[in-house]
């Protein structure tokens, strides 16, 4: 491997592969783990094999039945960066705060309340939630509204597969997610920087889209606390703030819900929050992003062009046909 060799070809971060040429690789993997992931330059940055065996979620072995690269083979972010450069204001607003302050957070046991306009509602343990779900590995780009981005291998399952089990009613047009509120374990919640608990939402068709994932792991292991253990949302064509962490409640509702960042500053953070280089944030450009991935020398300082829908336009643009994306940003 020459991945750390400055003479080696640069990772494909400067000119992201056009969507239409996106390579979609499906590898059937049995017992996918840290070792299986350490293949190829992109994962060069994967952590050294953990000393302990990969943790299993209670009642569920953390093995992925399939692997899909939905990031066009782009270099992966290192495990170290993805777990030490975070946004999780419940643990503080600094990028290093979530890693530093989440050690006392207790992710097990866990349960999720399913509520609202559905045939089946109630409180379900994480084991109940995971029982009938096949875990998959999906490698996605993640673009934060702050104009940095990563490429992360998640382990999870399509949100839609879970939602269907609760038989949403025809009147359910949106899904609302709520993060746990635990000031004793989440020191950032002592500060009123956000209106706790953190809330996010999706339109029903967005929630049912096959790219929309509920993640329980990343890089072949269980989600670290700072990344939203034990259950977090991943919506790869939207800005990262839609990817709500440590979910304790999922509610089916009729009208567009009030979500944390949108409520805080509606002119800066839209409800849809689809990645869109044509609509700048009022205080900065969204045309480019700083890619935090790979290693070694990069002539352009990892500044790359931001793609419409974060490069997932082919799969999701139809959801917004006829909508004015400047108004519905
Ligand atoms: N509950 C909660 N979820 C959250 C956040 C947060 O502060 N609280 N930050 C969001 C933002 S802005 C981003 S970019 C992603 C970051 O996810 P990561 O730290 O796993 O990369 O989480 C999102 N989910
Ligand atoms: Mo973000």
């Amino acid at each position: 491997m020459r991945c750390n060799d400055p003479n080696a070809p640069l990772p494909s971060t400067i000119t992201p592969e056009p969507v239409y040429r996106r390579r979609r690789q499906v590898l059937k993997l049995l017992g996918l783990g840290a070792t299986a992931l350490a293949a190829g330059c992109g994962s060069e940055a994967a952590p050294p094999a953990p000393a302990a065996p990969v943790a299993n979620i209670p009642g569920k072995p953390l093995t992925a039945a399939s692997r899909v690269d939905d990031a066009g083979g782009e270099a992966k972010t290192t495990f170290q960066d993805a777990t030490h450069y975070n946004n999780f204001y419940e643990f503080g607003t600094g990028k290093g705060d979530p890693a530093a302050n989440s050690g006392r957070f207790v992710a097990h046991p866990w349960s999720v309340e399913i509520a609202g306009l559905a045939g089946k509602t109630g409180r379900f343990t994480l084991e109940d939630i995971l029982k009938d779900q096949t875990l998959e590995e999906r490698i996605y780009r993640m673009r934060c509204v702050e104009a940095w981005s990563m490429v992360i291998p998640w382990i999870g399952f399509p949100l839609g597969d879970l939602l269907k089990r609760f038989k949403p009613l025809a009147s359910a047009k949106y899904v609302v997610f709520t993060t746990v509120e635990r000031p004793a374990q989440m020191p950032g919640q002592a500060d009123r920087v956000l209106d706790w608990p953190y809330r996010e939402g999706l339109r029903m068709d967005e929630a049912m889209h096959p790219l929309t994932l509920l993640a329980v792991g990343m890089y072949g292991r269980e989600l670290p606390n700072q990344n939203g253990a034990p259950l977090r949302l991943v919506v790869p064509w939207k800005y990262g703030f839609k990817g709500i962490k440590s979910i304790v409640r999922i509610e089916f509702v009729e009208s567009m819900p009030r979500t944390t960042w949108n409520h805080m500053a509606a002119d800066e953070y839209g409800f849809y929050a689809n990645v869109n280089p044509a609509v700048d944030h009022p205080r900065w450009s969204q045309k480019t992003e700083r890619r935090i991935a790979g290693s070694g020398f990069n002539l352009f300082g990892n500044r790359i062009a931001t793609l419409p829908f974060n490069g997932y336009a082919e799969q999701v643009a139809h959801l917004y046909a006829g909508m004015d994306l400047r108004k519905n940003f």
Side-chain angles (χ1 to χ4, degrees), residues 87 144-146 148 240-241:
N87 276 334
C144 174
V145 74
E146 297 164 335
W148 53 268
F241 69 85

Side-chain angles (χ1 to χ4, degrees), residues 85-90 142 144 148 152 154 179 198 226-227 232 240-241 243-245:
Y85 190 92
N86 299 101
N87 276 334
F88 199 169
Y89 280 16
E90 284 85 339
M142 185 182 75
C144 174
W148 53 268
I152 299 179
W154 302 104
T179 293
Y198 194 102
Q226 62 265 38
N227 294 89
R232 64 90 56 89
F241 69 85
I244 182 170
K245 296 174 170 182

Side-chain angles (χ1 to χ4, degrees), residues 237-257:
W237 71 94
K238 292 178 179 285
Y239 290 121
F241 69 85
K242 298 296 287 185
I244 182 170
K245 296 174 170 182
S246 306
I247 296 166
V248 287
R249 192 165 194 274
I250 299 177
E251 184 183 4
F252 297 94
V253 299
E254 185 146 20
S255 42
M256 188 181 279

Side-chain angles (χ1 to χ4, degrees), residues 154-213:
W154 302 104
I155 293 178
F157 55 91
L159 170 67
D161 287 356
L162 178 72
L163 296 187
K164 277 179 221 149
R165 284 166 51 188
F166 303 108
K167 312 219 178 313
L169 307 180
S171 53
K173 304 290 186 223
Y174 294 86
V175 191
V176 194
F177 307 85
T178 310
T179 293
V180 72
E181 198 170 4
R182 273 189 203 165
Q185 293 176 18
M186 301 175 120
Q189 284 183 335
D191 300 323
R192 308 214 154 191
V193 284
L194 292 178
D195 181 18
W196 315 117
Y198 194 102
R199 280 171 31 116
E200 258 310 334
L202 294 173
R203 217 171 53 190
M204 188 61 86
D205 58 344
E206 299 175 321
M208 292 297 182
H209 192 281
L211 282 177
T212 304
L213 214 64

